[in-house]
Structure formats: structure tokens, C-alpha cells
Amino acid sequence: MDAINGFFQFIGDNQAKLLEQMLEHVGLTFFSLLLAMVLAIPLGIYCSRNQRFAPLVLGIAGVLQTIPSIALLGFMIPLLGIGIKPAIFALFLYAILPILRNTYTGIQEVDPGVKEAALGMGLTPKQVLYKVELPLALPVLFAGIRTATVINVGVATLAAYIGAGGLGEFIFGGIALNNSYMILAGAIPAAVLAVLFDQGLAWLQQRQARPSVRQIALLGLTIPLFSAMYTLPQAYTSGIRAGFDPEFLGRADGYYKLADLYDLDFNTLVLNAGLMYEAVENEEVEVISGYSTDGRIKSYNLKVLEDDKNAFPPYYCAPLLNLATAKEYPELLEVLNLLSGKISDEMMTELNYQVDFEKKLPAEVAKDFLVTQKLWKPDRQQGGEVIRIGSKIFTEQYILVELFSQLINGYTGLDVESKAGLGGTKICFDALKVGEIDIYPEYTGTGFIVIAQPDAATVERLISDRDGVYEYVKAKFEEEHGILWLDPLGFNNTYALMVKEVRAQEKGWERIGDLR
């Protein structure tokens, strides 16, 4: 009951944002569907009249359908940038196959005797198509439109990764923030929309065996009307255009605290963390959130604005170890603590730069670092028990996984299995808690704000206290979750706001407060 009440409380607190995301989701779904219908229906008719081209055309459409949606969105970015354009184009490609195939199949399944009778009555081939074949094929065509609609409602959740909005913002934010209510607030409306749209089209299809002109006109008006919904949340935006990832937007120490503390009003675009840098480089946004040790700061010639009001807590990185694993393999504690205090902010930034800009492999960068610290040893390759190391999806975490792996392989008889790139905080933490992974690197600020979630008085008392935050999460995690915080590695990868160096000089931006 408490969980249900908590969910509805979240919905009530975020109803305006939820409505905005639903409108964006509906617009993305139906605009791409409209484009697909404009192309796929004539193409299906053409294939029915030119049989030799049908296998090729249907084969190409089938191949497009098999491309993973995340990969397809990624392919579109260099061509169309970020935001609505690549999202619409990707959804358009996914909607083509079911409409095209059903248009072609529906016409092909019309009884040849019926077509011959129509021709015998003096109808031209064009009249046969519009008066006989298409009306008879319409149920099959409608089924294709319904399938494409449901597909697009689901795939449209991924559009949030590239700044196109929609219900995916809540889903990805919830995964990153360990917030089940937020995940459900995005997933349940998306499922409801899929069912409503499917049943609505089914109702329109079943009104008569052959839809009337009025019904077809209603469908023709409804889809463009729904397509226009995406523009509604965009009509009243103001402020500096900023790109933030879902985690930064949802965290207690992220966007809303920053905006309140500094009295800022941003026109926000929700982006995957990796795409924020492309967005600011291409001047699609002016300000982005990021991490203070990110190597891309140097790569993209960005300026980190000074946090002159200390909005962000300390984010010192340390290995998290499952307590059961620590008891079974106590040598892991000694080995992983070899990195204690060894990685400075500058060093971590340099390691990230080598991977992001110089395109070195994380394993190579990790080995070079361990060699310079006189910590590297060759892999014993003894085929021992397997330790599973997880991580989130960004460069620094991949490097840390390699550092942990090479130390364990070199100093113990254990083998390592990498589970890098698991996603956000919730996925990594839950996997560690249930024993699906044994180790992953985490940050004290994330453990404090996102996972431990202390009361406001505790946050106010500790948020600027590096050692206090660490001791708090260390005690809390061991007591409540059976998870150990090992010694911090040394660097503080705190949140930061960044702008292009050229833009900072033009505007005179040195501190976050200057953005007002």
C-alpha cells in the first residue's frame, strides 16, 4: 500500500511534466507514423503492380526493422544532429515495414475473380484499385498501421536519449536515480498509450466492413492532429538553452537544487550523457552538465564554470564490494586498496582524455597507469574463481573496471568477468546487492544523495564535508545493504556546468552565478 501511495504521490507532484512528456510522445509516434504511411502505402501499391521489385523492396524494409533502435538513433546523429529530427526519422523507418508489407499483402490477397469481374464491368485498372482492391485490402492495411503504431510507442521511449523528449525521460531518469516510481511513471503511460491507440484504430476499423469516406477522413485528420502535439510543450520555452542528462535533472543535488540556489531558468533539453558534448560543440545548446574529471573537457575546449555557492556535494570514487564476496575472498580488500589515494583529479582527467580523444583502449590506459605506479603485475591465469566487476556507461567507469581487473588478475589467483556498461546507478547497485556482480566503482555523492537518501537536515549538515559523507555512506551501506565501501581512490569527480571556452569569453561567464 505504501508503494502504491508513493507512486501516486510522485504522479501528483510531477503531473505537469508527465503531461508534457505524454504530448511529446504522442507527437513523435504519430508524426513518424504519418510519414511512414505517406511512403509505405504508395510503395506497397507499386509493389503489387510490379511483382519483380517486391522482394527487394520488402527485403530492404525488413533489414531496416532489424537494426537495433539505439544503434539506429546513433547512426542518425552525425546526419541530423540531436533532438526531434533523428528521432522522427528512426521511428519513420521502423514504421515502414508493417504498413508496406500489409498494404502489399492485402492487395495480393484480393480474390482474382473479383478483380476480373470488375474489369469485365468496364472499370479501368485505376478504378479497380480504388473501388475494389483497396477497400477489400483495408482490414489488412489497418492491421499494419496498428502494428506500426504500437511499435513506435515503444521505440519512442528511446528518443529521450537524444533530446527528443517523451516518456523515456522518466524511464531513464528512474534507472539512473534508483527511483522505481519514476520508472513506472514513464512505463505505465507508454503502455496505456499503446493499448489506447491500438484499440482506437481497431474501433475505427470495425465500425463497418468497408469504412466510409467520413471514417477515412477522420483517420486522415486524427493522425496529423496527434502529430502536432509535440509542438505544444515546445511553445513556451525560455532561458539559456541547456543540455542535461536524465540523472542530473532528477537528482536532489542536480538541476533543481542548482536552479533554486542560483535562481536560474534554463530551456532544458534532456540528452544522453555522451551526446551532451556533441550538442554543445555543434551549438545546439549553450550549457551542459558534466563531470569535473571528464577528458572531453579538454577535447572539446570547454570551460568549467566555478560552483561559487557549493551546490554540488563531494563525489570521491571508491570500489563497492559485496559483503559476502569480501568474506569469501578477503584478499580483494587489500588488492583493491592498493589504489587508495593514487588517482588525482588531474590524473583521472588525463586517463579519460587518452580514451576519449586519443582513442586508446581502456585496458591499455589502465595498464600504463599501473606500470607508472609500479603496481602492475602480469595475469597469473590460474583459472580460479570468477569475480564479476560491473560499471555504469561512461569512459571513466570502463577505465576503473580495467584497473580493478588487472590488479585482481595480477595479485590473486582469481579470474575476472567484466560486466561493464550496465547502465545507471540503480542497475549497478541492485546487481551488486543481489550478488549478480561482486564489485563496481561508485561515488560518495551518489551513494549519499541517490541511494542512502538521508533527510534534509543530514544533507545540509554533511553535503560539503568530504570525510563526513564518506563515513556516512560507509556505515549506512554496510548496515542496511551488506555492501562495503573500500578506500577512496583519490579523485573527486563532482558535477560541473560547462560551456564552450569561446562562448564563455564572449559572455563573460566565469562562475555559475554569471549565467543569470
Side-chain angles (χ1 to χ4, degrees), residues 357-392:
F357 187 71
E358 297 179 356
K359 304 304 179 185
K360 294 182 179 180
L361 295 175
E364 178 187 355
V365 171
K367 180 179 178 180
D368 290 343
F369 173 78
L370 292 176
V371 169
T372 61
Q373 298 295 315
K374 297 182 169 52
L375 293 175
W376 189 82
K377 289 185 178 181
D379 189 347
R380 291 187 181 184
Q381 297 182 337
Q382 292 185 357
E385 296 293 323
V386 174
I387 300 298
R388 296 155 299 178
I389 305 179
S391 84
K392 307 176 193 182

Short mmCIF file of all heavy atoms in Angstrom, two decimals, residues 357-392:
data_model
loop_
_atom_site.label_atom_id
_atom_site.label_comp_id
_atom_site.label_asym_id
_atom_site.label_seq_id
_atom_site.Cartn_x
_atom_site.Cartn_y
_atom_site.Cartn_z
N PHE A 357 39.78 11.02 -26.49
CA PHE A 357 40.34 11.83 -27.58
C PHE A 357 41.44 11.10 -28.33
O PHE A 357 41.46 11.08 -29.57
CB PHE A 357 40.86 13.15 -27.03
CG PHE A 357 41.29 14.11 -28.10
CD1 PHE A 357 40.35 14.73 -28.92
CD2 PHE A 357 42.63 14.40 -28.30
CE1 PHE A 357 40.74 15.61 -29.92
CE2 PHE A 357 43.03 15.29 -29.30
CZ PHE A 357 42.08 15.89 -30.11
N GLU A 358 42.36 10.46 -27.60
CA GLU A 358 43.44 9.74 -28.27
C GLU A 358 43.03 8.35 -28.72
O GLU A 358 43.80 7.66 -29.39
CB GLU A 358 44.65 9.66 -27.33
CG GLU A 358 45.23 11.04 -27.00
CD GLU A 358 46.42 10.95 -26.06
OE1 GLU A 358 46.76 9.84 -25.60
OE2 GLU A 358 47.03 12.02 -25.78
N LYS A 359 41.84 7.93 -28.33
CA LYS A 359 41.23 6.67 -28.78
C LYS A 359 42.02 5.44 -28.35
O LYS A 359 42.03 4.43 -29.05
CB LYS A 359 41.02 6.68 -30.30
CG LYS A 359 40.21 7.84 -30.83
CD LYS A 359 38.85 7.92 -30.16
CE LYS A 359 38.03 9.11 -30.65
NZ LYS A 359 36.76 9.26 -29.92
N LYS A 360 42.66 5.51 -27.21
CA LYS A 360 43.30 4.33 -26.65
C LYS A 360 42.26 3.45 -25.98
O LYS A 360 41.23 3.92 -25.51
CB LYS A 360 44.38 4.73 -25.64
CG LYS A 360 45.58 5.47 -26.23
CD LYS A 360 46.61 5.77 -25.15
CE LYS A 360 47.82 6.48 -25.73
NZ LYS A 360 48.83 6.78 -24.67
N LEU A 361 42.57 2.17 -25.90
CA LEU A 361 41.66 1.25 -25.24
C LEU A 361 41.76 1.43 -23.73
O LEU A 361 42.86 1.66 -23.20
CB LEU A 361 41.99 -0.19 -25.61
CG LEU A 361 41.79 -0.58 -27.08
CD1 LEU A 361 42.26 -2.01 -27.31
CD2 LEU A 361 40.32 -0.45 -27.47
N PRO A 362 40.64 1.31 -23.00
CA PRO A 362 40.70 1.42 -21.54
C PRO A 362 41.70 0.45 -20.91
O PRO A 362 42.37 0.82 -19.93
CB PRO A 362 39.26 1.10 -21.10
CG PRO A 362 38.42 1.52 -22.26
CD PRO A 362 39.25 1.19 -23.48
N ALA A 363 41.82 -0.75 -21.46
CA ALA A 363 42.76 -1.73 -20.91
C ALA A 363 44.20 -1.24 -21.05
O ALA A 363 45.02 -1.39 -20.13
CB ALA A 363 42.60 -3.07 -21.62
N GLU A 364 44.51 -0.60 -22.18
CA GLU A 364 45.85 -0.08 -22.41
C GLU A 364 46.16 1.08 -21.47
O GLU A 364 47.25 1.16 -20.87
CB GLU A 364 45.96 0.38 -23.87
CG GLU A 364 47.30 1.00 -24.24
CD GLU A 364 47.31 1.59 -25.64
OE1 GLU A 364 46.30 1.44 -26.36
OE2 GLU A 364 48.34 2.21 -26.00
N VAL A 365 45.20 1.98 -21.32
CA VAL A 365 45.38 3.13 -20.43
C VAL A 365 45.54 2.68 -18.99
O VAL A 365 46.40 3.19 -18.25
CB VAL A 365 44.17 4.09 -20.57
CG1 VAL A 365 44.22 5.18 -19.51
CG2 VAL A 365 44.16 4.72 -21.96
N ALA A 366 44.74 1.71 -18.57
CA ALA A 366 44.83 1.19 -17.20
C ALA A 366 46.19 0.55 -16.94
O ALA A 366 46.81 0.78 -15.89
CB ALA A 366 43.71 0.19 -16.96
N LYS A 367 46.68 -0.23 -17.88
CA LYS A 367 47.98 -0.88 -17.71
C LYS A 367 49.10 0.15 -17.61
O LYS A 367 49.99 0.04 -16.74
CB LYS A 367 48.26 -1.84 -18.86
CG LYS A 367 49.61 -2.55 -18.73
CD LYS A 367 49.86 -3.51 -19.88
CE LYS A 367 51.24 -4.16 -19.75
NZ LYS A 367 51.52 -5.10 -20.86
N ASP A 368 49.07 1.15 -18.48
CA ASP A 368 50.11 2.18 -18.45
C ASP A 368 50.12 2.89 -17.09
O ASP A 368 51.19 3.18 -16.54
CB ASP A 368 49.88 3.21 -19.56
CG ASP A 368 50.15 2.62 -20.95
OD1 ASP A 368 50.80 1.57 -21.03
OD2 ASP A 368 49.71 3.24 -21.94
N PHE A 369 48.94 3.18 -16.56
CA PHE A 369 48.87 3.84 -15.25
C PHE A 369 49.45 2.95 -14.16
O PHE A 369 50.24 3.41 -13.31
CB PHE A 369 47.43 4.20 -14.91
CG PHE A 369 47.26 4.73 -13.52
CD1 PHE A 369 47.60 6.04 -13.21
CD2 PHE A 369 46.78 3.91 -12.50
CE1 PHE A 369 47.46 6.53 -11.91
CE2 PHE A 369 46.64 4.39 -11.21
CZ PHE A 369 46.98 5.70 -10.92
N LEU A 370 49.06 1.68 -14.14
CA LEU A 370 49.56 0.77 -13.11
C LEU A 370 51.07 0.60 -13.22
O LEU A 370 51.76 0.49 -12.19
CB LEU A 370 48.86 -0.59 -13.23
CG LEU A 370 47.37 -0.61 -12.89
CD1 LEU A 370 46.78 -1.99 -13.15
CD2 LEU A 370 47.14 -0.20 -11.44
N VAL A 371 51.59 0.61 -14.44
CA VAL A 371 53.05 0.50 -14.62
C VAL A 371 53.74 1.71 -14.01
O VAL A 371 54.75 1.60 -13.31
CB VAL A 371 53.40 0.35 -16.11
CG1 VAL A 371 54.91 0.51 -16.33
CG2 VAL A 371 52.95 -1.02 -16.63
N THR A 372 53.21 2.93 -14.28
CA THR A 372 53.85 4.14 -13.74
C THR A 372 53.78 4.18 -12.21
O THR A 372 54.65 4.76 -11.57
CB THR A 372 53.17 5.41 -14.29
OG1 THR A 372 51.80 5.43 -13.89
CG2 THR A 372 53.26 5.47 -15.80
N GLN A 373 52.76 3.54 -11.64
CA GLN A 373 52.63 3.49 -10.18
C GLN A 373 53.35 2.28 -9.57
O GLN A 373 53.26 2.06 -8.36
CB GLN A 373 51.14 3.43 -9.81
CG GLN A 373 50.32 4.63 -10.24
CD GLN A 373 50.74 5.91 -9.53
OE1 GLN A 373 50.94 5.91 -8.33
NE2 GLN A 373 50.87 6.99 -10.30
N LYS A 374 54.01 1.50 -10.44
CA LYS A 374 54.72 0.29 -10.00
C LYS A 374 53.77 -0.70 -9.31
O LYS A 374 54.13 -1.37 -8.33
CB LYS A 374 55.89 0.64 -9.08
CG LYS A 374 56.97 1.48 -9.75
CD LYS A 374 58.12 1.76 -8.80
CE LYS A 374 59.32 2.37 -9.53
NZ LYS A 374 58.98 3.55 -10.33
N LEU A 375 52.56 -0.79 -9.85
CA LEU A 375 51.56 -1.70 -9.31
C LEU A 375 51.21 -2.84 -10.26
O LEU A 375 50.53 -3.79 -9.86
CB LEU A 375 50.27 -0.93 -8.98
CG LEU A 375 50.33 0.09 -7.85
CD1 LEU A 375 49.00 0.85 -7.75
CD2 LEU A 375 50.64 -0.59 -6.53
N TRP A 376 51.67 -2.76 -11.50
CA TRP A 376 51.22 -3.75 -12.48
C TRP A 376 51.97 -5.06 -12.32
O TRP A 376 53.19 -5.10 -12.12
CB TRP A 376 51.43 -3.22 -13.90
CG TRP A 376 50.79 -4.13 -14.93
CD1 TRP A 376 49.48 -4.15 -15.30
CD2 TRP A 376 51.43 -5.15 -15.70
NE1 TRP A 376 49.26 -5.12 -16.25
CE2 TRP A 376 50.45 -5.75 -16.51
CE3 TRP A 376 52.75 -5.61 -15.77
CZ2 TRP A 376 50.74 -6.79 -17.39
CZ3 TRP A 376 53.05 -6.65 -16.64
CH2 TRP A 376 52.05 -7.22 -17.44
N LYS A 377 51.23 -6.15 -12.43
CA LYS A 377 51.80 -7.49 -12.47
C LYS A 377 51.10 -8.27 -13.57
O LYS A 377 49.91 -8.05 -13.83
CB LYS A 377 51.61 -8.23 -11.13
CG LYS A 377 52.47 -7.70 -9.99
CD LYS A 377 52.29 -8.58 -8.76
CE LYS A 377 53.17 -8.10 -7.60
NZ LYS A 377 53.01 -8.97 -6.40
N PRO A 378 51.80 -9.19 -14.23
CA PRO A 378 51.15 -9.97 -15.29
C PRO A 378 50.06 -10.88 -14.73
O PRO A 378 50.10 -11.27 -13.55
CB PRO A 378 52.30 -10.79 -15.89
CG PRO A 378 53.34 -10.82 -14.83
CD PRO A 378 53.22 -9.53 -14.08
N ASP A 379 49.09 -11.19 -15.57
CA ASP A 379 47.98 -12.05 -15.20
C ASP A 379 48.49 -13.44 -14.81
O ASP A 379 49.25 -14.07 -15.55
CB ASP A 379 47.01 -12.16 -16.39
CG ASP A 379 45.70 -12.86 -16.03
OD1 ASP A 379 45.62 -13.49 -14.95
OD2 ASP A 379 44.77 -12.78 -16.84
N ARG A 380 48.07 -13.92 -13.65
CA ARG A 380 48.51 -15.25 -13.22
C ARG A 380 47.88 -16.37 -14.04
O ARG A 380 48.44 -17.46 -14.15
CB ARG A 380 48.13 -15.46 -11.75
CG ARG A 380 48.92 -14.59 -10.77
CD ARG A 380 48.60 -15.01 -9.35
NE ARG A 380 49.31 -14.21 -8.37
CZ ARG A 380 49.25 -14.42 -7.05
NH1 ARG A 380 48.53 -15.43 -6.58
NH2 ARG A 380 49.91 -13.64 -6.22
N GLN A 381 46.67 -16.11 -14.58
CA GLN A 381 45.99 -17.08 -15.45
C GLN A 381 45.91 -18.46 -14.81
O GLN A 381 46.27 -19.47 -15.41
CB GLN A 381 46.69 -17.16 -16.82
CG GLN A 381 46.65 -15.87 -17.60
CD GLN A 381 47.28 -15.97 -18.96
OE1 GLN A 381 48.13 -16.82 -19.21
NE2 GLN A 381 46.89 -15.09 -19.86
N GLN A 382 45.40 -18.49 -13.58
CA GLN A 382 45.33 -19.75 -12.86
C GLN A 382 43.96 -20.42 -12.97
O GLN A 382 43.76 -21.52 -12.45
CB GLN A 382 45.67 -19.53 -11.39
CG GLN A 382 47.13 -19.15 -11.17
CD GLN A 382 47.48 -19.05 -9.70
OE1 GLN A 382 46.63 -19.21 -8.85
NE2 GLN A 382 48.75 -18.80 -9.40
N GLY A 383 43.00 -19.75 -13.62
CA GLY A 383 41.68 -20.37 -13.78
C GLY A 383 40.95 -20.55 -12.46
O GLY A 383 40.30 -21.57 -12.23
N GLY A 384 41.05 -19.55 -11.57
CA GLY A 384 40.40 -19.64 -10.27
C GLY A 384 38.94 -19.23 -10.32
O GLY A 384 38.31 -19.16 -11.38
N GLU A 385 38.39 -18.96 -9.14
CA GLU A 385 37.01 -18.50 -9.05
C GLU A 385 36.87 -17.14 -9.77
O GLU A 385 37.82 -16.38 -9.87
CB GLU A 385 36.60 -18.35 -7.59
CG GLU A 385 36.58 -19.66 -6.82
CD GLU A 385 35.49 -20.59 -7.32
OE1 GLU A 385 34.41 -20.09 -7.67
OE2 GLU A 385 35.74 -21.81 -7.37
N VAL A 386 35.65 -16.88 -10.24
CA VAL A 386 35.42 -15.69 -11.06
C VAL A 386 34.82 -14.56 -10.21
O VAL A 386 33.84 -14.76 -9.48
CB VAL A 386 34.48 -16.00 -12.23
CG1 VAL A 386 34.13 -14.72 -13.01
CG2 VAL A 386 35.13 -17.01 -13.16
N ILE A 387 35.41 -13.37 -10.30
CA ILE A 387 34.89 -12.15 -9.69
C ILE A 387 34.30 -11.29 -10.79
O ILE A 387 34.97 -10.99 -11.79
CB ILE A 387 36.01 -11.37 -8.96
CG1 ILE A 387 36.63 -12.24 -7.85
CG2 ILE A 387 35.46 -10.07 -8.39
CD1 ILE A 387 35.66 -12.64 -6.77
N ARG A 388 33.05 -10.89 -10.62
CA ARG A 388 32.35 -10.11 -11.65
C ARG A 388 32.37 -8.63 -11.28
O ARG A 388 31.89 -8.25 -10.21
CB ARG A 388 30.91 -10.60 -11.79
CG ARG A 388 30.81 -12.05 -12.29
CD ARG A 388 29.53 -12.69 -11.86
NE ARG A 388 29.44 -12.75 -10.39
CZ ARG A 388 28.38 -13.25 -9.74
NH1 ARG A 388 27.36 -13.70 -10.41
NH2 ARG A 388 28.38 -13.27 -8.42
N ILE A 389 32.92 -7.83 -12.18
CA ILE A 389 33.05 -6.39 -11.95
C ILE A 389 32.12 -5.65 -12.89
O ILE A 389 32.19 -5.81 -14.11
CB ILE A 389 34.50 -5.92 -12.16
CG1 ILE A 389 35.46 -6.72 -11.30
CG2 ILE A 389 34.62 -4.43 -11.84
CD1 ILE A 389 36.91 -6.34 -11.47
N GLY A 390 31.24 -4.82 -12.31
CA GLY A 390 30.30 -4.06 -13.12
C GLY A 390 30.68 -2.59 -13.18
O GLY A 390 31.58 -2.12 -12.49
N SER A 391 29.96 -1.86 -14.04
CA SER A 391 30.18 -0.41 -14.13
C SER A 391 29.01 0.23 -14.83
O SER A 391 28.19 -0.43 -15.46
CB SER A 391 31.47 -0.09 -14.89
OG SER A 391 31.24 -0.10 -16.29
N LYS A 392 28.94 1.56 -14.75
CA LYS A 392 27.96 2.35 -15.49
C LYS A 392 28.52 2.63 -16.89
O LYS A 392 29.64 2.23 -17.22
CB LYS A 392 27.66 3.64 -14.75
CG LYS A 392 27.25 3.42 -13.29
CD LYS A 392 27.06 4.74 -12.55
CE LYS A 392 26.97 4.51 -11.06
NZ LYS A 392 26.75 5.76 -10.30
#
